[in-house]
Amino acid sequence: MNFFKRYGMIGGAIAICFFVVLYVFFTTYSIFTVNNQVNYVAEHPYKVVSEINKIRTRILEINTYLPIFLANNENRPESIKAVLHTSRQENEKSQSILQAIYLGNPEDLTELKTALKNLEQAQIQVVDIIENNAMNKAEFEKYFKKEVEPLRVKADAAIQKVIDSADRRVLIIQEATEKKAEKASIYAALMGLLMIIFIIYAYKLRNEYMVNSELKRQQQILQDALLAAGKANAAKRDFLSKMSHEIRTPMNAIIGMSAIGFNYLDDQKRIADCLSKITFSSKHLLMLINDILDMSKIEDGKFTISAELFDMKKLVTSLTDINYTLAKTKGVSFEVVLSGIEEELLIGDAMRVNQILINLLSNAIKFTPKGGSVMLEIKKIRATGTKIWLRFIVQDNGIGMKSEFLERIYEPFEQGDSSVSGKYGGTGLGMAITKNLVNIMNGIIKVESREGQGSTFTVDLPFGLNPSEHKKNSPGLEDISVLVVDDDDDTCEHAEVLLKGMGVEVDWVLNGFEAVEKVRTACEIKHRCYDVCFIDWCMPDMDGIETTRRIRDYAGPDALIIIISAYDWSDIEQQAREAGVNAFIAKPFFASTLYNTLLTVIRKDGAVIPEEIGSTKDKYDFQGQKVLLVEDNELNMEIAAELLKFANLQVDVAENGQVAVDLFVNSKAKEYALIFMDIQMPEMNGYDATRCIRASKHTDAQEIPIIAMTANAFRDDVQAALDAGMNGHLAKPIDVNTIYEMIAKHINF
């Protein structure tokens, strides 16, 4: 009895171990099999779909834009052939991948290869025909529809056949996976039932749970991948659709107004109107391109921020000039208010700050109806020994935004709804770029908005302080008394901070009636009238001109009265001077502007009259100076040469870098005052040409300014130009004022 019991226990232990091994083996095998099937689904059919969709996308892009490129005379046939060659190479790579992983009928790939080859040959033939000027536009369109489009349809059908095969393969593998999963469950159940006899049922349940969890996890991964791929394709389709519409709109205006202009060559007024509209559309098109390129660089992680010394006054003045004009054209009031800012020279990326504010302000003006208002307020929120934080607040009372849209406002290609996109246009990239710029600059952006009531954007950005900057001395200003009259508290308080920092005695009031009474009291009772009165032009109840008339009755002719205006004062200048106004000054106030104005008042030698006072600016005249223009594109050369001649410059031209080097080396000493150098040119590019000039034995080789004038507009391109020995960089398309400022910076005239 003991014998059987002893060996029975041993046999039972062996049986337990055997069934445990069987259980582990079968469950492991089942999990491994299911896992392989899931990975198979992920790695094969979906890879096929991915590669075939790449081919389809290339075909669609080439077939859509090929007629446009061929219709544009500026696009050379060899460039278009190069694009077709690149597309063919990419398609061949995708076909090679398909050949390795495709599990459907091999004849599908043979059919696809033949269809693509026929389509590519037809496209090349179209380019050859156009290159030989064998047909006009109408004939070309008819030929394209007859000969090329059917081949594109055949190629698309071949592509669809491969996709359908891949889809069927997914269903087959999915069914096999489900069957294997079902078998795995049965094996696990049987093993668990046997292990109940040997008191290890709990262990079986635990492993079965793990099998099911892993299966669900793998299925969820597949579902998430499919969903993400679907969203990506949808976003791409939406983007291409929007870009096609947005780019075609200004292009249509440019082409259309050019055609109209040719028919009114004798009507200067009509020609000027056409050119104005062409210019506006061109700038709009450039804005779209810049948005797309900026977004691409941000997503690639190649976007960089500089830390350079810049003038805050120039930045704000530029913003005011640009947006005031836009707002005035639309019938919207625009104002810039500064609060507590004494520093003018800061360290940061002025170009990106300008881009952020231009995006916000242009949107505010765009979405604010006629009669509304837009305001930019800039205030100092805190400062340390080496850093200052500024808050930029852009506020409007326009159409506002729905609360649900605010949650996705910074996502690319997002707009409020289709009606907003249709009415106001835009790429939907502006706010995404703005958000990324603020983040890269270690700043914060917030938005508050209510539909129908307007929006407020708040941006906090850090800047470095100029360590060498110090406040200007203000000798003699201690005896000056000033009255500031403005209906805005912030403007008055800001002026008070700046003036008191110069040692000036300051009073301020909020309306004309208080100002008149203040002056009367000072002159008749205190017997000490104000030396200077800064009076806002636009005030309720009593405007600045009427206030000036009444103040003159008490102050007489000795006090200097300066009208403050955030607007163009040319319309009221004559009326204001008749009322007794001595000068004009623009908002917002800066310390240097007020300082120079007060120096002018007390007639200090060397006083600098601020740019804001007066209504005219000096024009550039470079009479007697000669420049060398290096440009391989004839149209660009003609445009640049004419712009330079407008400023009375003599212009020599060179069509490539080698010609430019030869002209310079053989020139007389000081013959050329400056060289404008294109970058991408045949025979010798701009970088190499610059190095050759710098290395030459010409007496001016090291001193002559060389300015890059190129479509290569990224920061890396600017640095490459400087590294090659150039002195500056201008990005195409060229702005007239920018090119004149660059010339004035580098030559004496």
Side-chain angles (χ1 to χ4, degrees):
M1 187 71 179
N2 291 332
F3 173 83
F4 288 106
K5 183 176 182 181
R6 177 183 177 185
Y7 282 95
M9 292 176 63
I10 293 173
I14 293 173
I16 291 173
C17 292
F18 175 75
F19 283 114
V20 168
V21 170
L22 281 179
Y23 177 78
V24 172
F25 172 79
F26 280 111
T27 52
T28 302
Y29 173 79
S30 299
I31 292 173
F32 180 79
T33 303
V34 173
N35 221 19
N36 281 345
Q37 292 289 355
V38 173
N39 290 333
Y40 193 79
V41 172
E43 293 175 3
H44 288 77
Y46 292 109
K47 182 65 175 178
V48 170
V49 173
S50 174
E51 291 300 325
I52 200 68
N53 274 332
K54 289 179 182 178
I55 297 176
R56 171 176 277 175
T57 299
R58 295 187 198 105
I59 292 174
L60 177 61
E61 290 175 345
I62 292 295
N63 229 51
T64 300
Y65 293 107
L66 184 59
I68 300 174
F69 291 151
L70 292 173
N72 189 344
N73 294 330
E74 293 184 2
N75 290 309
R76 299 180 180 178
E78 58 266 21
S79 299
I80 300 174
K81 287 182 178 180
V83 173
L84 293 174
H85 179 69
T86 301
S87 177
R88 184 176 70 240
Q89 288 181 328
E90 294 297 326
N91 284 343
E92 289 174 353
K93 290 180 183 178
S94 295
Q95 290 179 69
S96 297
I97 295 173
L98 291 174
Q99 197 74 36
I101 65 175
Y102 186 65
L103 300 176
N105 190 340
E107 293 180 1
D108 295 345
L109 297 183
T110 303
E111 181 180 347
L112 173 63
K113 182 177 181 180
T114 302
L116 290 177
K117 182 177 179 181
N118 292 338
L119 177 60
E120 289 162 357
Q121 289 176 346
Q123 290 169 341
I124 292 293
Q125 187 175 359
V126 168
V127 178
D128 291 334
I129 292 173
I130 293 300
E131 185 177 9
N132 297 325
N133 297 320
M135 60 178 66
N136 58 33
K137 183 177 180 182
E139 292 172 338
F140 162 72
E141 292 177 352
K142 183 176 180 181
Y143 179 83
F144 192 92
K145 291 180 180 178
K146 180 180 179 182
E147 300 297 333
V148 179
E149 186 60 21
L151 294 177
R152 198 275 304 167
V153 173
K154 288 183 179 180
D156 196 62
I159 288 171
Q160 190 60 46
K161 183 178 291 185
V162 175
I163 292 175
D164 292 341
S165 176
D167 289 341
R168 287 193 299 273
R169 180 64 55 179
V170 171
L171 293 176
I172 293 170
I173 296 174
Q174 184 177 358
E175 290 175 358
T177 301
E178 291 175 352
K179 289 180 180 179
K180 289 183 181 295
E182 184 178 352
K183 290 180 179 179
S185 299
I186 294 173
Y187 287 142
L190 290 174
M191 291 300 102
L193 187 60
L194 292 172
M195 292 177 71
I196 287 175
I197 302 173
F198 301 101
I199 321 174
I200 53 173
Y201 179 69
Y203 183 74
K204 174 265 172 186
L205 290 178
R206 177 177 177 274
N207 280 275
E208 186 177 321
Y209 174 78
M210 291 176 63
V211 171
N212 292 332
S213 297
E214 177 65 16
L215 182 59
K216 289 180 180 179
R217 190 182 72 84
Q218 294 287 351
Q219 290 176 340
Q220 186 63 47
I221 290 173
L222 279 177
Q223 291 176 359
D224 291 344
L226 287 172
L227 182 62
K231 287 183 177 180
N233 284 332
K236 184 176 181 180
R237 285 195 300 271
D238 292 343
F239 171 69
L240 290 174
S241 176
K242 287 182 180 179
M243 287 304 96
S244 176
H245 175 268
E246 290 298 328
I247 291 175
R248 287 173 184 272
T249 299
M251 283 300 299
N252 179 66
I254 292 170
I255 295 171
M257 296 311 298
S258 298
I260 293 172
F262 278 118
N263 290 295
Y264 288 91
L265 295 177
D266 296 330
D267 188 344
Q268 291 188 358
K269 185 176 180 181
R270 190 62 184 271
I271 289 291
D273 178 64
C274 290
L275 291 176
S276 175
K277 291 173 180 176
I278 289 172
T279 300
F280 177 82
S281 298
S282 300
K283 290 182 177 179
H284 178 64
L285 184 59
L286 179 62
M287 179 198 71
L288 295 174
I289 295 171
N290 285 337
D291 277 355
I292 295 169
L293 293 178
D294 279 349
M295 198 65 205
S296 176
K297 292 202 76 176
I298 289 171
E299 290 180 345
D300 289 343
K302 298 179 180 178
F303 211 86
T304 57
I305 297 296
S306 67
E308 301 172 349
L309 192 66
F310 71 94
D311 190 337
M312 188 67 178
K313 176 183 173 183
K314 290 184 178 179
L315 174 65
V316 174
T317 301
S318 174
L319 286 169
T320 303
D321 292 343
I322 293 171
N323 291 284
Y324 170 70
T325 303
L326 293 174
K328 183 179 180 181
T329 302
K330 194 176 179 182
V332 173
S333 67
F334 176 71
E335 184 177 6
V336 179
V337 177
L338 265 64
S339 178
I341 300 176
E342 300 177 70
E343 299 80 3
E344 294 187 27
L345 295 179
L346 302 176
I347 298 174
D349 195 327
M351 183 177 71
R352 298 308 176 189
V353 175
N354 182 75
Q355 187 176 358
I356 291 170
L357 296 178
I358 285 289
N359 277 342
L360 296 178
L361 289 170
S362 61
N363 277 346
I365 294 171
K366 180 194 296 186
F367 296 118
T368 299
K370 183 177 181 181
S373 63
V374 174
M375 182 178 73
L376 168 62
E377 182 179 1
I378 307 174
K379 60 172 64 176
K380 179 167 65 175
I381 53 177
R382 65 179 181 273
T384 63
T386 59
K387 184 172 288 189
I388 182 174
W389 281 80
L390 298 184
R391 174 165 292 169
F392 303 86
I393 304 172
V394 177
Q395 186 173 16
D396 67 73
N397 58 359
I399 64 174
M401 292 173 278
K402 298 178 180 178
S403 57
E404 55 267 27
F405 175 64
L406 292 178
E407 298 177 359
R408 62 181 195 277
I409 185 174
Y410 301 119
E411 296 180 11
F413 317 121
E414 287 289 345
Q415 292 180 318
D417 52 46
S418 58
S419 63
V420 171
S421 176
K423 182 176 180 180
Y424 297 99
T427 63
L429 293 175
M431 291 311 302
I433 293 172
T434 298
K435 171 68 172 176
N436 279 283
L437 285 175
V438 172
N439 289 343
I440 294 172
M441 298 176 72
N442 297 318
I444 300 170
I445 184 170
K446 299 178 182 177
V447 58
E448 295 179 2
S449 183
R450 296 186 66 180
E451 189 174 9
Q453 298 184 20
S455 305
T456 300
F457 284 87
T458 303
V459 177
D460 294 347
L461 293 175
F463 298 93
L465 292 173
N466 180 20
S468 61
E469 184 178 19
H470 59 276
K471 292 185 179 179
K472 297 180 180 179
N473 296 325
S474 51
L477 296 186
E478 294 83 359
D479 297 329
I480 297 294
S481 61
V482 175
L483 177 65
V484 179
V485 187
D486 197 300
D487 60 320
D488 181 71
D489 290 15
D490 291 334
T491 298
C492 292
E493 291 175 356
H494 180 60
E496 181 182 29
V497 169
L498 297 179
L499 291 169
K500 283 188 175 180
M502 303 174 196
V504 176
E505 182 183 340
V506 187
D507 290 327
W508 57 271
V509 293
L510 295 173
N511 60 66
F513 296 107
E514 292 182 14
V516 173
E517 181 59 26
K518 200 82 172 174
V519 172
R520 187 192 69 80
T521 301
C523 294
E524 294 185 352
I525 300 177
K526 297 182 179 179
H527 302 292
R528 191 184 188 288
C529 289
Y530 291 100
D531 298 295
V532 184
C533 294
F534 290 98
I535 303 174
D536 188 26
W537 166 21
C538 294
M539 294 186 294
D541 299 327
M542 185 189 299
D543 63 17
I545 296 177
E546 179 60 29
T547 302
T548 299
R549 290 194 185 98
R550 298 192 185 187
I551 285 178
R552 281 295 182 206
D553 292 339
Y554 298 107
D558 295 332
L560 186 76
I561 299 180
I562 301 173
I563 286 292
I564 307 168
S565 175
Y567 312 96
D568 179 11
W569 55 74
S570 57
D571 293 339
I572 59 127
E573 183 173 3
Q574 182 176 352
Q575 181 186 4
R577 294 194 181 278
E578 291 174 354
V581 172
N582 300 96
F584 299 83
I585 190 169
K587 294 180 186 177
F589 292 139
F590 287 90
S592 60
T593 305
L594 291 172
Y595 181 75
N596 286 327
T597 302
L598 293 177
L599 285 180
T600 304
V601 173
I602 62 175
R603 295 177 174 83
K604 287 285 183 183
D605 293 337
V608 180
I609 299 176
E611 293 181 0
E612 292 85 354
I613 296 182
S615 58
T616 61
K617 295 183 178 179
D618 295 335
K619 294 182 178 179
Y620 292 103
D621 185 354
F622 304 105
Q623 184 73 40
Q625 302 285 355
K626 186 177 183 181
V627 299
L628 176 59
L629 173 64
V630 190
E631 172 63 66
D632 67 314
N633 184 281
E634 293 184 6
L635 181 59
N636 288 341
M637 180 183 290
E638 179 183 353
I639 293 171
E642 288 298 322
L643 293 178
L644 294 171
K645 290 176 182 178
F646 287 159
N648 294 322
L649 282 164
Q650 298 179 49
V651 183
D652 281 353
V653 297
E655 63 271 21
N656 61 59
Q658 185 59 58
V659 175
V661 172
D662 295 340
L663 284 174
F664 175 78
V665 170
N666 296 318
S667 66
K668 300 176 182 178
K670 305 300 181 183
E671 179 176 351
Y672 294 117
L674 189 144
I675 298 175
F676 286 107
M677 183 73 71
D678 190 18
I679 299 300
Q680 295 184 1
M681 295 180 293
E683 295 192 34
M684 182 183 289
N685 63 46
Y687 298 137
D688 292 339
T690 299
R691 294 186 182 100
C692 289
I693 289 173
R694 295 299 187 205
S696 70
K697 297 181 180 180
H698 195 284
T699 55
D700 300 335
Q702 301 303 317
E703 290 78 18
I704 187 167
I706 303 178
I707 308 299
M709 191 159 66
T710 172
N712 299 348
F714 294 131
R715 192 176 304 279
D716 293 344
D717 301 315
V718 177
Q719 188 59 50
L722 298 177
D723 293 341
M726 300 187 191
N727 302 88
H729 182 281
L730 290 173
K732 297 176 183 177
I734 300 300
D735 178 76
V736 178
N737 290 329
T738 303
I739 193 173
Y740 292 163
E741 289 173 0
M742 182 67 77
I743 297 171
K745 178 181 177 181
H746 290 282
I747 67 175
N748 296 321
F749 71 100

